[in-house]
Amino acid sequence: MSGLAFLALASAQLLPSALAAAKESAKKAADTFMFGGDKWRTVYDDMRKKAYYYNFRTGQSTWSDPRKAAEEDAHRWMVLIVIMLPFVLCFAAGAAYLVYVRVNHPDVLKGPKKPTKSGYTHSLAKAAKASKGKGPKQDEAAAAAAAAAPADAAAAKKDN
């Protein structure tokens, strides 16, 4: 019986230390990770009470988690795309509309038509031009002469 008691006593003392060693090795294994083809280790700094990350290949260490930095970069790009997408689509739609108008309705983009000089002047425009610079009595005389002119032309026809 004494052998069993000794074995029980020894296992009770060894078991906690064995468990602590197993936990420590599991923790170290969990603190090592692969990222970007490199092996990294998470190391806890007791002075600063903060973890830092060590790259085995390059020998560099950083305070920021490289896994989270990559996620933040991807997040920034996603936010930029989501914010810029409506503006890009609006610009593309406007450009497509201008191309459509240019191909199907080219006269619209040329602006208003310029008046051409055909030589024809409306009779009211002629009367206004003739009466410029004349007083009111002269306007009445010009109007009477304009009214008499067709009558004179009709009388001349009768005479011939």
Side-chain angles (χ1 to χ4, degrees):
M1 229 357 147
S2 67
L4 280 174
F6 175 75
L7 193 56
L9 183 62
S11 65
Q13 288 179 351
L14 291 175
L15 189 60
S17 63
L19 284 174
K23 284 182 182 179
E24 187 65 32
S25 67
K27 186 178 178 183
K28 284 184 181 177
D31 290 337
T32 303
F33 59 92
M34 293 294 290
F35 179 74
D38 293 339
K39 186 175 180 180
W40 291 80
R41 171 173 275 163
T42 305
V43 182
Y44 188 76
D45 186 5
D46 291 328
M47 280 181 57
R48 294 191 185 201
K49 307 278 189 229
K50 189 175 177 183
Y52 67 93
Y53 303 91
Y54 176 77
N55 186 328
F56 284 103
R57 186 180 63 81
T58 62
Q60 290 180 325
S61 59
T62 178
W63 289 106
S64 60
D65 190 346
R67 298 169 291 190
K68 289 183 182 177
E71 288 175 12
E72 289 173 5
D73 288 342
H75 180 72
R76 282 188 194 118
W77 276 107
M78 186 60 67
V79 168
L80 180 67
I81 289 170
V82 167
I83 289 173
M84 293 302 294
L85 187 63
F87 296 105
V88 169
L89 290 176
C90 184
F91 180 77
Y97 179 72
L98 284 176
V99 168
Y100 168 79
V101 168
R102 188 172 195 166
V103 169
N104 296 321
H105 306 285
D107 54 322
V108 173
L109 296 176
K110 290 180 181 174
K113 293 182 180 177
K114 293 184 173 88
T116 58
K117 293 189 176 186
S118 63
Y120 172 76
T121 308
H122 193 273
S123 60
L124 292 176
K126 285 181 184 175
K129 194 174 188 181
S131 68
K132 264 190 182 175
K134 299 179 181 176
K137 289 185 180 179
Q138 290 175 342
D139 284 342
E140 290 173 11
D152 290 340
K157 265 189 174 180
K158 276 188 178 181
D159 289 341
N160 288 339

